[in-house]
């Protein structure tokens, strides 16, 4: 695939930072080399010497002085090498990307920073963006400054509809736009599992259809998958990722630890074609430099301590927790809202997407009146590409609320709607 | 928000230099592991505001704000994204911090390069360069002026107080935003007080970028920006869309550390690191005098971690350092990397003395002298 077609002029202009590149020389250098090129501060002057983290299962992660230096000093932009290796192994294990040798994986300061840099790499003001609708608000806020021409693709209880995608793209003939750079859609954004905000997942056959359409129109697929590990059901039944079916090398996949390990550490990772991942690295080189080092070291040490078995045992436990929460939420909703709302059963994650057929627009009801009834929801309009249109939906999160409070909340919500 | 009960970390303790242990309380660790506000962990932000008010007494403090960023360079990067439309002008010193030039090369604004002397940007050249930009007929306008006033990267020079006031006055005349990049403010070896641009900012045109990277940790990725709220808002909105918030655990740790130290402890730490880097500088100057007298020229830096060397008998150092340096067991950064026009030859080189021992410095400068000699011979056989 020719990737330059997808890049903005700003992205094409990016050059490596020579100083960062020179630091790579150290890796191959003779021990006699006196290296005075980097602008590194002396890590011996950093005041933290060592550390220890106790896990909830009672075991401890020890940060001995040498490891503490790794936590505190500048590191390579693509990520702390042991963590990068672990994540590459995990990705290969879970997805077996068909073009793995042509791909790269980097650690980012949260998966959203990876997504932001990927979009900034490809979107110029006014460009087309093909996206699921409703769409995650974070993605919409990344795109807002570019005033994109959205091609919003509607979905149902199985996610994005391939027919709707085909219809949206039908004004172009694939063979006419495949190599065109301007004024054609080049990017498709999708949340395949436990979509935020709808809570539903794309089954395998739809993914293959969507991939095929993206391939015909030569679109880059941005697979934003932070709820991958919080899908309900057996891991072996998880539908295959877009990455795992990426025979063209057109998928950039965004993974996150925010729902399973920690959101505050700011650790996510991006997998994609080398030429595109390289552009993200160049952007990171002149902005944040790299994901926080201590956070990376902690995640790496934790994964090392757990091994695969421990890691999946943990993700299974997290999944089981959110499943219980979902079931409690559905119970409360059925009890209080079955006459007033419609919803699809979430197949993972932490959100329930409620439709209120009798109301024209949920915006005012929630933002002006909901607080008085102790119910916090997000009005559906926030997830729409065109925020001027009314929206009958709202998103409820069931991650943190207790079942008792869910019951109370749904009762209050019913009163509010009435 | 994900449920933090499912995060596997329960307790955290760090040991500080000197052996003191800091244990994070349950609430604090919890804050460190969950999403936080985009402009920074509130107790930390408040702590930093108190410090900034104390050190700089900004004349418009009541109308200023402060946000935490993922390292100060991310703040600068987002400030440029916010300020520069295509065709706009940005003023930079020449030579300039290379990563900043790298940022500019992607945005491709029009650059107003201002030559420097031993105090940094020259006001007379600044004035005439701005006049030229204004009368060029471009649709863009000069928007911002970037400088590193203390221990400038790469020249190591400090801008004197009078010079700062002159630059500020010119920025007022042309209505420029001043991007004050000051990561070395705590690494000054003498007690001479140099007022920051923030401290003289009567107009509210300064965005000041501070860093913990040289003082507490570079890898934790924590810096902060002080300035007018409407400008900070632009950066914060971009942060919200990208990293969502600065790394929480990093912020929590630094906050706990600063709280544990108090003002006295912080001052002592700064004094200790200055002492260390001063000794490093002295060893470096000794090594330079021993091996490079007559071969190179240099100004003795009053702070920071860099020495800017000029090779007397070479017109350019790039090939020498990049192609032959590693074999000669000495690597410095070629001066060309810091010049706005990197096509022109540069006889300069930047040496960092932060992480090498005095013995390594001696060996390194000996190697450098040999490398330069060889290069001079190489050049003369080619002419």
């Amino acid at each position: 695939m020719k990737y330059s077609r997808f890049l903005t002029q700003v992205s094409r202009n990016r050059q490596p930072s020579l100083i960062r590149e020179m630091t790579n020389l150290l890796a191959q250098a003779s021990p006699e080399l006196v290296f005075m090129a980097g602008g590194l501060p002396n890590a011996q002057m950093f005041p933290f010497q060592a550390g220890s983290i106790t896990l909830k299962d009672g075991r401890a992660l020890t940060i001995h002085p040498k490891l503490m230096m790794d936590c505190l000093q500048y590191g390579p932009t693509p990520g702390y090498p042991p963590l990068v290796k672990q994540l590459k192994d995990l990705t290969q294990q879970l997805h077996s990307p068909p073009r793995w040798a042509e791909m790269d994986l980097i650690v980012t300061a949260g998966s959203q920073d990876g997504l932001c840099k990927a979009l900034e790499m490809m979107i110029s003001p006014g460009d087309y963006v093909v996206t699921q609708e409703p769409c995650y608000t974070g993605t919409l806020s990344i795109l807002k400054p570019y005033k994109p021409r959205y091609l919003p693709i509607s979905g149902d209880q199985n996610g994005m509809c391939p027919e709707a995608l085909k219809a949206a793209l039908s004004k172009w003939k694939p063979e006419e736009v495949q190599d065109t750079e301007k004024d054609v859609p080049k990017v498709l954004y999708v949340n395949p599992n436990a979509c935020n905000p709808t809570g539903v997942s794309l089954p395998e056959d739809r993914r293959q259809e969507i991939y095929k359409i993206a391939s015909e129109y030569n679109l880059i697929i941005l697979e934003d998958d932070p709820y991958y590990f919080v899908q309900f059901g057996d891991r072996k039944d998880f539908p295959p990722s877009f990455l795992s079916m990426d025979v063209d090398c057109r998928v950039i996949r965004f993974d996150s630890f925010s729902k399973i390990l920690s959101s505050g550490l700011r650790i996510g990772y991006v997998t994609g074609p080398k030429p595109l991942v390289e552009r993200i690295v160049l952007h990171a080189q002149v902005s944040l430099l790299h994901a926080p080092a201590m956070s990376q070291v902690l995640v790496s040490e934790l994964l090392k301590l757990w091994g695969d078995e421990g890691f999946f045992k943990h993700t299974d436990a997290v999944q089981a927790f959110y499943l219980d929460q979902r079931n409690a939420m559905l119970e409360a909703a059925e009890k209080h809202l079955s006459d007033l709302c419609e919803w699809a059963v979430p197949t993972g994650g932490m959100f329930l997407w409620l439709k209120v057929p009798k109301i024209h627009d949920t915006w005012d009801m929630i933002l002006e009146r909901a607080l008085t009834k102790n119910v916090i929801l997000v009005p559906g309009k926030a997830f729409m590409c065109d925020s001027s249109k009314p929206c009958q939906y709202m998103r409820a999160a069931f991650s943190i609320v207790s079942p008792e409070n869910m019951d109370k909340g749904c009762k209050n919500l019913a009163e509010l709607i009435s | 928000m994900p449920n933090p009960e499912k995060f596997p970390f329960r307790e955290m303790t760090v040991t500080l230099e000197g052996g003191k242990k800091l244990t994070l309380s349950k609430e604090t660790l919890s804050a460190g592991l969950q999403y936080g506000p985009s402009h920074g962990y509130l107790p930390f932000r408040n702590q930093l505001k108190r410090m900034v008010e104390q050190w700089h007494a900004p004349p418009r403090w009541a109308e200023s704000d402060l946000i935490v960023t993922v390292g100060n360079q991310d703040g600068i990067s987002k400030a440029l994204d916010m300020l520069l439309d295509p065709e706009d002008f940005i003023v930079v010193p020449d030579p300039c911090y290379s990563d900043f030039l790298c940022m500019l090369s992607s945005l491709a604004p029009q650059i107003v390069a201002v030559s420097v002397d031993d105090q940094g940007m020259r006001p007379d050249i600044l004035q005439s360069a701005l006049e030229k930009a204004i009368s060029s007929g471009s649709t863009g306008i000069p928007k911002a002026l970037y400088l590193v006033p203390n221990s400038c990267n790469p020249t190591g020079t400090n801008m004197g107080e009078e010079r700062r006031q002159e630059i500020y006055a010119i920025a007022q005349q042309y209505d420029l935003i001043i991007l004050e990049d000051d990561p070395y403010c705590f690494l000054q070896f003498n007690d001479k007080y140099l007022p920051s641009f923030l401290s003289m900012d009567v107009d509210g045109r300064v965005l000041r970028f501070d860093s913990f990277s040289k003082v507490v940790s570079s890898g934790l990725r924590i810096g902060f920006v002080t300035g007018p709220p409407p400008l900070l808002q632009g950066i914060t909105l971009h942060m919200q869309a990208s990293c969502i918030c600065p790394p929480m655990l990093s912020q929590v740790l630094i906050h706990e550390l600063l709280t544990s130290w108090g003002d006295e402890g912080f001052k002592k730490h700064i004094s200790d690191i200055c002492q260390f880097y001063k000794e490093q500088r002295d060893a470096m100057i000794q090594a330079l005098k021993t091996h490079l007298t007559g071969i190179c020229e240099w100004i003795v830096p009053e702070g920071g971690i860099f020495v800017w060397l000029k090779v007397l008998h070479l017109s350019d150092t790039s090939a020498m350092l990049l192609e032959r340096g590693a074999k000669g067991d000495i690597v410095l950064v070629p001066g060309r990397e810091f010049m706005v026009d990197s096509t022109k030859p540069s006889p300069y080189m930047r040496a960092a003395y932060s992480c090498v021992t005095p013995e390594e410095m001696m060996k390194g400068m000996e190697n450098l002298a040999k490398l330069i000699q060889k290069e001079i011979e190489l050049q003369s056989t080619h002419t």
Side-chain angles (χ1 to χ4, degrees):
Chain A
M1 263 181 69
K2 278 204 336 251
Y3 295 102
S4 60
R5 168 184 188 252
F6 299 98
L7 302 177
T8 63
Q9 191 54 53
V10 170
S11 187
R12 287 184 218 200
N13 289 342
R14 293 196 190 281
Q15 298 289 328
S17 150
L18 180 71
I19 299 178
R20 289 239 112 210
E21 300 291 306
M22 285 176 91
T23 318
N24 296 337
L25 279 176
L26 273 173
Q28 326 126 15
S30 97
E32 294 304 314
L33 173 66
V34 179
F35 188 83
M36 300 181 75
L40 271 67
N42 196 308
Q44 285 165 19
M45 293 293 112
F46 294 151
F48 304 101
Q49 305 271 282
S52 169
I53 306 226
T54 313
L55 303 177
K56 282 183 177 154
D57 68 9
R59 291 185 288 180
L61 293 178
T62 306
I63 311 176
H64 48 78
K66 165 120 195 354
L67 198 64
M68 183 55 94
M69 289 229 180
D70 289 340
C71 292
L72 300 178
Q73 182 59 288
Y74 285 125
T77 300
Y80 175 55
L83 181 61
V84 173
K85 176 155 192 323
Q86 287 165 305
L87 297 176
K88 281 182 170 172
D89 289 344
L90 183 65
T91 300
Q92 198 166 14
Q93 191 190 333
L94 294 175
H95 306 283
S96 289
R99 311 258 307 239
W100 187 229
E102 294 153 80
M103 297 193 132
D104 210 345
L105 182 152
I106 59 171
V107 182
T108 53
S111 67
Q112 193 160 316
D113 193 43
L115 177 66
C116 183
K117 288 180 166 48
L119 285 168
E120 288 178 355
M121 164 178 82
M122 294 188 288
I123 304 295
S124 298
D127 274 0
Y128 283 103
V129 175
V130 187
T131 175
Q132 62 191 29
E133 189 179 54
C135 181
Y136 168 47
T137 47
T139 309
L140 295 177
S141 61
I142 294 170
L143 290 168
K144 192 155 188 234
Y146 296 92
K147 299 203 171 74
R149 284 175 286 181
Y150 284 110
L151 292 173
I153 313 298
S154 55
D156 54 24
Q157 71 274 13
N158 286 318
M160 193 189 271
C161 293
E163 297 69 40
L165 177 60
K166 239 186 249 169
L169 293 169
S170 61
K171 74 184 243 209
W172 293 278
K173 287 214 187 80
E175 56 278 11
E176 281 170 13
V177 298
Q178 271 177 4
D179 296 318
T180 312
E181 288 188 18
K182 289 202 184 336
D183 264 340
V184 296
K186 290 184 282 175
V187 170
L188 167 66
Y189 172 81
V190 65
N191 225 183
N193 295 311
C195 176
N196 183 348
T198 62
V200 300
S201 302
L202 281 167
E204 179 169 359
D205 57 345
R206 281 213 180 171
R207 294 172 191 226
Q208 283 166 349
E209 283 184 75
I210 291 169
Y211 188 91
K212 192 157 158 290
I213 298 167
S215 185
E216 274 169 27
Y217 284 88
N218 199 13
L219 309 175
I220 294 291
I221 298 174
L222 300 175
E223 177 175 41
D224 188 13
D225 207 0
Y227 304 100
Y228 176 80
F229 290 109
V230 208
Q231 294 178 71
F232 303 140
D234 215 306
R235 249 182 301 116
K236 62 172 170 46
D237 298 328
F238 286 178
S241 63
F242 282 96
L243 182 67
S244 71
M245 56 181 71
D246 188 17
V247 292
D248 298 341
C249 212
R250 64 176 63 259
V251 173
I252 308 180
R253 179 182 165 80
F254 305 91
D255 277 283
S256 172
F257 284 117
S258 291
K259 323 303 174 194
I260 52 170
L261 294 185
S262 158
S263 41
L265 288 180
R266 309 315 300 120
I267 297 293
Y269 51 108
V270 182
T271 309
K274 282 188 172 139
L276 296 180
V277 171
E278 180 206 52
R279 292 286 118 191
I280 297 176
V281 170
L282 292 180
H283 189 174
Q285 258 182 9
V286 294
S287 52
L288 76 166
L289 299 186
H290 56 78
M294 181 180 279
S295 302
Q296 293 188 71
V297 169
L298 289 183
V299 172
S300 176
E301 290 293 302
L302 179 68
L303 296 180
K304 194 165 83 180
L305 179 73
W306 274 347
D308 282 349
E309 202 184 305
F311 176 68
F312 291 121
K313 180 158 170 259
H314 175 73
T315 59
D316 285 348
V318 176
Q319 190 216 86
F321 168 78
Y322 283 111
L323 181 60
D324 287 343
Q325 292 284 106
R326 179 205 72 174
N327 291 340
M329 186 73 194
L330 290 177
E331 206 179 297
E334 265 150 40
K335 185 167 162 201
H336 299 286
L337 298 168
S338 43
D339 295 332
L340 299 166
C341 292
E342 288 167 15
W343 59 85
V345 173
T347 50
M350 51 193 69
F351 302 119
L352 182 65
W353 185 236
L354 297 160
K355 182 180 182 180
V356 194
K358 296 185 185 153
I359 291 191
H360 181 60
D361 184 358
T362 56
W363 185 269
D364 290 338
M365 175 181 83
I366 293 172
L367 291 184
E368 288 168 25
R369 297 186 275 282
L371 281 176
T372 61
K373 281 275 177 191
N374 298 315
V375 179
I376 313 276
L377 301 154
V378 183
K381 206 191 272 199
F383 303 91
M384 297 304 170
C385 298
D386 180 354
S387 55
S388 67
K389 295 210 195 101
C391 180
Q392 299 178 299
Y393 287 85
M394 41 192 188
R395 186 195 77 176
F398 51 79
S399 43
I400 300 189
V401 190
S402 69
E404 300 72 39
N405 284 335
M406 281 182 204
D407 189 74
K408 245 194 243 158
C410 286
K411 182 159 177 283
N412 289 339
L413 184 55
E415 286 169 22
L416 185 68
I417 294 171
S418 309
Chain B
M1 294 230 291
N3 196 312
E5 294 295 308
K6 297 292 115 194
F7 298 153
F9 308 99
R10 196 179 74 202
E11 248 175 57
M12 182 169 184
T13 305
V14 287
T15 311
L16 305 183
E17 63 196 349
K20 180 168 181 193
K21 277 198 159 77
L22 280 184
T23 300
L24 300 187
S25 71
K26 191 161 177 281
E27 296 74 34
T28 310
L29 179 61
S30 182
L33 297 175
Q34 181 61 288
Y35 288 122
S38 297
H39 39 233
Y41 173 53
L42 189 60
F44 185 48
R45 250 178 103 207
N46 288 339
Q47 193 177 47
L48 295 175
K49 280 181 179 176
R50 201 180 46 81
M51 288 164 107
V52 168
E53 194 185 358
Q54 207 182 318
W55 300 328
H56 303 281
R60 292 175 60 112
W61 186 230
E63 296 111 329
S64 302
D65 205 347
L66 181 151
I67 60 172
V68 181
T69 52
V70 187
N72 94 335
Q73 194 158 306
D74 195 47
I76 295 172
S77 173
K78 289 177 165 52
L80 289 180
D81 288 340
M82 169 179 71
L83 291 170
L84 298 177
D85 278 319
E87 300 303 298
D88 278 344
F89 294 87
I90 176 137
V91 181
V92 304
D94 197 4
C96 181
Y97 171 42
S98 55
D99 276 3
F100 188 79
L101 292 178
C102 222
M103 276 183 230
L104 293 186
S105 73
S106 62
L107 296 173
Q110 301 198 70
I111 298 180
V112 174
V114 180
S115 310
V116 304
D117 59 20
D118 63 357
Q119 284 201 58
M121 243 186 229
R122 280 180 51 182
D124 53 339
I125 298 186
L126 172 61
Q127 186 97 38
S128 58
L130 283 167
E131 275 308 308
K132 195 161 161 225
I134 303 263
S135 52
S136 67
S138 170
T139 49
I141 57 169
K143 281 267 183 78
L145 181 150
Y146 169 83
L147 39 62
V148 183
N150 293 314
S151 304
C152 182
N153 183 346
T155 59
T157 57
N158 285 3
M159 187 179 275
E161 179 167 356
E162 228 181 274
R163 176 69 63 92
R164 293 174 189 224
Q165 284 161 351
E166 283 184 82
I167 303 286
Y168 190 89
I170 297 173
Q172 284 179 305
Q173 195 185 341
Y174 292 88
D175 200 16
L176 307 173
I177 297 292
I178 297 175
L179 304 173
E180 179 177 30
D181 185 9
D182 207 0
Y184 306 102
C185 64
F186 293 117
L187 262 63
Q188 299 305 306
F189 305 148
N190 57 36
D191 286 327
K192 190 166 162 214
Y193 168 69
L194 288 170
S196 64
F197 280 89
L198 182 68
S199 72
M200 56 180 73
D201 188 18
V202 293
D203 298 341
R205 63 177 64 257
V206 172
L207 275 173
R208 180 184 163 80
F209 300 88
D210 274 285
S211 171
F212 280 111
S213 292
K214 322 303 176 196
V215 168
V216 167
S217 159
S218 42
L220 289 180
R221 308 314 302 121
I222 295 294
F224 52 106
V225 190
T226 309
L231 295 181
L232 293 182
Q233 176 73 338
I235 299 174
T236 305
L237 287 173
H238 195 175
M239 283 277 301
Q240 222 173 52
S242 54
C243 304
I244 301 183
C245 64
M248 288 301 287
L249 186 63
S250 302
Q251 294 182 80
V252 158
L253 279 176
I254 299 180
H255 172 253
E256 292 289 299
L257 174 74
L258 296 178
T259 305
S260 143
W261 272 345
D263 285 345
E264 283 312 304
F266 183 75
K267 277 204 193 101
K268 176 168 187 309
H269 179 72
I270 299 301
S271 166
D272 289 346
I273 44 176
C274 280
Q275 185 59 30
F276 170 78
Y277 284 112
K278 182 161 187 258
E279 286 166 8
Q280 293 284 106
R281 180 213 52 187
D282 293 343
M284 183 67 189
I285 300 300
Q286 188 56 38
L288 288 172
K289 281 188 180 152
T290 306
H291 295 289
L292 291 168
T293 305
I295 303 175
C296 287
E297 265 173 16
W298 58 86
I299 299 173
V300 176
E302 299 284 324
I305 58 177
F306 301 119
V307 177
W308 187 233
L309 303 165
K310 182 181 183 183
V311 183
L312 293 174
H313 302 292
L314 284 178
S315 56
D316 188 71
T317 56
S318 309
M320 175 183 79
L321 291 171
L322 297 177
E323 292 164 33
R324 299 179 264 286
K327 275 227 195 79
D329 283 333
I330 177 69
V331 180
L332 307 184
V333 188
R336 224 154 89 172
E337 194 55 21
F338 303 93
M339 306 313 291
V340 173
D341 182 355
S342 58
T343 62
K344 291 215 198 98
S346 167
Y348 286 90
M349 320 178 274
R350 188 195 77 174
Y353 51 76
S354 42
C355 296
V356 280
T357 63
E359 297 72 34
E360 283 166 340
M361 288 182 208
M362 273 293 178
K363 194 83 191 71
M365 293 306 102
E366 191 187 344
N367 295 347
L368 184 59
K370 288 192 186 128
L371 186 71
I372 295 172
Q373 279 306 122
K374 268 209 189 112
E375 192 75 12
I376 292 171
E377 284 161 24
L378 194 68
Q379 301 287 348
S380 64
T381 58
H382 282 220
T383 46

